[in-house]
Amino acid sequence: MASLITRRTAARQFLSAAKPPSSSSFPTGIPVSCRFQSTTPGYTPSTSTSTTTTAVPKPATYPSTTKPAYTPSIPSASTIKPAYTPSIPSATSPSTIKPAYTPSIPSATSPSTTKPAYTSSTPPATSPSTTKPAYTSSTPPATYPSTTKPAYTPAPKEANFAPTAADAFKSGLNDLPSTDLPEEGGIDWARSFSGLSREPFAKEIIDILMAPLQLSDIEVKPDGIIYLPEIKYRRILNLAFGPGGWGLAPRSDTIITNTAVTREYGLVCNARLVSVARGEQDYFDPSGIPTATEGCKSNALMRCCKDLGVASELWDPRFIRKFRKEMCVELMVEHMLSKKKKKMWFRKGDMVEFPFKQM
């Protein structure tokens, strides 16, 4: 009972904490009507209700421990800041209205306020002391010998110019025969075609030139090409025209490339041009150029003799196949130093020579 009264008293105090009553107005005794039910099991409350008036002592107040309810403070009219209202100047107060910007235009009659137009400070043409003279380049005159380089003029090439070894590889040996002819007259075989196809030679000359070759004179190269040694061509020409009755006339310079020598020759027989051909010969070292030039001449002689019918069998495919079948043999050989093996052609009865050996 006492605890229930205490709880109700505390509730009243919490609700009235905002404005506690004065001690003089608070009664010393409060009538309280209490109805309670026992929680003891088996207890049966009576139907009668008893009302008991008990003087409740004044509860002690604890202002320091009881926090009053929050009540927002309403500011007074004197503390409220009025809303901002922009000050609009009245039309009658010209002192508060800022006039619109108007640019100041100087009048034509006030020369003191008008800024004169810009005038460049160019000195007059009559003032030689302030006028800078035009720039003049310090170019020496054309007649000044130390700065003027004369135009390059190549030296003329002389007719009897002896070229060096380096020039020979570029432009040849420059060994074309001279065009000067003897006073009694002569033929420039380097350019002339005199006597070409004038008439056939005599029958005995023709028989010698076109006579069949002897098989014993024909040779075969390792790759199977058959040929007639160049000395055999000279023997046939000497037999037909006699020594001194024929000759080879050079018709161009000797041209030397990096690996070969070439030159054009004309075969002249009995003062008649018979044929023109270009000879060639390979070389492997510059020291072999003189030998290559001689081989080039022999090669040109062999080609010129084709027009006379000399050794014409060597260009006949059927004769070539028959000759190799009857007179030649193909063998497998080995190089004794490099040990490389390959096939080579030989005439029957010839021995395999060093550095090869038959396998």
Side-chain angles (χ1 to χ4, degrees), residues 293-308:
T293 55
E294 186 66 20
C296 175
K297 181 180 179 181
S298 298
N299 182 256
L301 175 63
M302 177 196 68
R303 294 178 176 179
C304 288
C305 286
K306 287 191 298 182
D307 295 341
L308 294 176

Side-chain angles (χ1 to χ4, degrees), residues 129-178:
S129 60
T130 59
T131 304
K132 187 176 180 180
Y135 173 75
T136 305
S137 60
S138 58
T139 304
T143 57
Y144 191 71
S146 61
T147 58
T148 303
K149 187 176 180 180
Y152 172 74
T153 303
K157 185 177 180 181
E158 299 180 2
N160 297 326
F161 173 74
T164 61
D167 295 333
F169 283 95
K170 299 178 181 178
S171 60
L173 299 179
N174 193 25
D175 53 354
L176 186 66
S178 175

